[in-house]
């Protein structure tokens, strides 16, 4: 998916001190890439791996699921314990199997290939990577269910690195970014807040639904003024999750066409990071005389840098 540019226009009135006072309108266009979150149309941006090895794409507005990776691909397809998607590549998923192998899944075809099978050799011992999320900056993060730990996979260098130990919290099956925070489900059904750098963790809430293997942030509303919901997957049902209280409310029961398949995780392109609402303030200068000049300053708050600015003088002289 291409990152799209959005233009926000703001009208600025410049008072020109001449015999008959005139008001000239200047328009400043402020563009931002609204980094990481670009997805339009219905919420077909959630993907679910299930116990049979298949992957479904979900429309939450209708609670319908469409098969995008069949178990017959690869004869048989590995069972993916969790999957992740990165912004800019809506047809590419990443998945972890039960042996800590990392796959790239191409939904066009579809097909899959092993990207990395070196984790067990690099980190001997009892490990089960069963959670995965993309940070939108070329990294995947995973949690370990057997020996609690958070690991980073760099897509560009094809390497794993240990990040930190979240105490005794083993991975319950997913990681997701939600409103700027990285959340982690645990084997004891808690929701834990993770900070990557410097590494730290803190208890957030206990989920009132068992077997919550997947949690994912889903975007609704407008892109630069988004509303996020946390969606959880447990057994064969999707839930809305209140990350403050841990209360899980059923949303889509038996979501897959083959009812009662166990949902092993979840991902969406909107879980990588959060777009903060963007605003621009331009202080209005004092009236100036004909032939004079004025310096305009755009003060941008919110959003995810960087921004680009284009000056449109609207018939008057000016420069960027």
């Amino acid at each position: 998916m291409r990152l799209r540019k959005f233009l926000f226009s703001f009208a600025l009135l410049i008072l020109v001190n001449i015999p008959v006072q005139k008001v000239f309108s200047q328009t400043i266009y402020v563009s931002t890439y609204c980094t990481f979150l670009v997805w339009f149309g219905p919420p077909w941006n959630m993907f679910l791996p299930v116990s049979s090895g298949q992957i479904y794409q979900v429309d939450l507005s209708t609670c319908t699921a469409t098969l995008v990776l069949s178990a017959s691909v690869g004869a048989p397809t590995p069972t993916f314990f969790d999957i992740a998607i990165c912004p800019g590549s809506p047809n590419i998923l990443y998945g972890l199997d039960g042996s800590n192998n990392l796959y790239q899944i191409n939904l066009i075809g579809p097909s899959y290939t092993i990207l990395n099978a070196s984790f067990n050799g690099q980190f001997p011992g009892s490990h089960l990577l069963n959670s995965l999320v993309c940070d939108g900056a070329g990294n995947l993060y995973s949690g370990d269910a057997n020996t609690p730990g958070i690991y980073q996979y760099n897509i560009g260098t094809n390497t794993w690195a240990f990040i930190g130990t979240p105490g005794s919290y083993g991975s319950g099956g997913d990681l997701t970014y939600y409103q700027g925070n990285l959340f982690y489900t645990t084997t004891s059904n808690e929701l834990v807040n993770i900070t990557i750098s410097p590494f730290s963790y803190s208890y957030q809430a206990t989920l009132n639904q068992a077997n919550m293997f997947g949690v994912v942030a889903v975007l609704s509303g407008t892109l630069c003024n988004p509303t996020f919901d946390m969606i959880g997957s447990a057994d064969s049902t999707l839930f809305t999750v209140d990350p403050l209280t841990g209360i899980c409310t059923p949303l889509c029961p038996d979501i897959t066409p083959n009812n009662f398949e166990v949902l092993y995780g979840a991902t969406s392109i909107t879980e990588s990071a959060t777009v903060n609402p963007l605003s621009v303030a331009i202080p209005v200068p004092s009236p100036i005389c004909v032939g004079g000049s004025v310096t305009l300053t755009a003060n941008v708050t919110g959003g995810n840098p960087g921004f680009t600015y284009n000056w449109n003088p609207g018939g008057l002289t000016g420069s960027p």
Side-chain angles (χ1 to χ4, degrees):
M1 181 185 303
R2 299 181 183 88
L3 288 177
R4 304 187 183 182
K5 184 179 292 184
F6 299 85
L7 298 181
F8 299 83
S9 63
F10 299 85
L12 173 66
L13 300 181
I14 300 178
L15 300 180
V16 181
N17 195 6
I18 55 179
V20 177
Q21 190 177 66
K22 297 181 180 179
V23 177
F24 294 90
S25 176
Q26 295 290 295
T27 302
I28 292 179
Y29 292 92
V30 181
S31 65
T32 173
Y33 284 98
C34 292
T35 309
F36 304 142
L37 297 184
V38 182
W39 194 275
F40 288 92
W44 280 83
N45 59 343
M46 185 172 179
F47 296 88
L48 299 173
V50 299
S51 52
S52 64
Q54 302 187 123
I55 296 177
Y56 291 88
Q57 190 175 28
V58 173
D59 185 338
L60 291 174
S61 65
T62 59
C63 285
T64 55
T66 300
L67 184 66
V68 294
L69 184 73
S70 168
S72 63
V73 175
T77 297
T79 297
F80 295 109
F81 279 42
D82 198 20
I83 56 177
I85 187 170
C86 295
S89 301
N91 295 313
I92 299 297
L93 304 178
Y94 298 91
L96 284 165
D97 66 12
S99 299
N100 304 321
N101 298 311
L102 181 68
Y103 294 76
Q104 184 180 81
I105 305 157
N106 191 332
L107 298 180
I108 304 299
S111 63
Y112 66 86
T113 56
I114 293 181
L115 279 184
N116 189 289
S118 67
F119 182 89
N120 291 336
Q122 185 176 352
F123 302 99
S126 176
H127 299 285
L128 176 60
L129 300 182
N130 66 350
S131 57
L132 200 63
V133 70
C134 180
D135 68 358
N139 300 301
L140 301 173
Y141 292 99
S142 184
D144 190 340
N146 289 353
T147 305
I150 302 295
Y151 295 84
Q152 179 192 67
Y153 173 78
N154 185 296
I155 298 172
T157 62
N158 191 28
T159 56
W160 284 102
F162 175 73
I163 298 298
T165 300
S168 61
Y169 293 118
S171 173
D174 216 342
L175 287 154
T176 191
Y177 283 96
Y178 176 82
Q179 295 188 343
N181 298 305
L182 181 59
F183 288 98
Y184 171 71
T185 59
T186 75
T187 51
S188 47
N189 232 45
E190 293 106 344
L191 200 60
V192 172
N193 199 328
I194 300 289
T195 299
I196 294 296
S197 182
F199 183 82
S200 65
Y201 65 94
S202 60
Y203 167 85
Q204 178 74 19
T206 297
L207 303 174
N208 69 345
Q209 172 64 42
N211 300 326
M212 190 64 71
F213 292 157
V215 288
V216 62
V218 174
L219 171 70
S220 59
T222 61
L223 188 64
C224 288
N225 292 284
T227 298
F228 283 90
D229 292 307
M230 183 177 285
I231 305 298
S233 59
D235 299 324
S236 60
T237 296
L238 296 180
F239 297 77
T240 59
V241 178
D242 186 334
L244 296 179
T245 64
I247 293 175
C248 305
T249 304
L251 176 64
C252 298
D254 300 328
I255 183 63
T256 62
N258 298 320
N259 289 343
F260 309 113
E261 286 185 296
V262 177
L263 308 179
Y264 270 13
T267 191
S268 84
I269 204 166
T270 56
E271 73 168 342
S272 296
T274 300
V275 170
N276 299 314
L278 177 73
S279 63
V280 177
I282 304 174
V284 178
S286 300
I288 59 172
C289 296
V290 174
S293 63
V294 64
T295 299
L296 301 178
T297 302
N299 300 315
V300 182
T301 57
N304 287 332
F307 308 110
T308 61
Y309 304 88
N310 293 316
W311 171 251
N312 182 353
L316 300 179
T317 59
S319 60

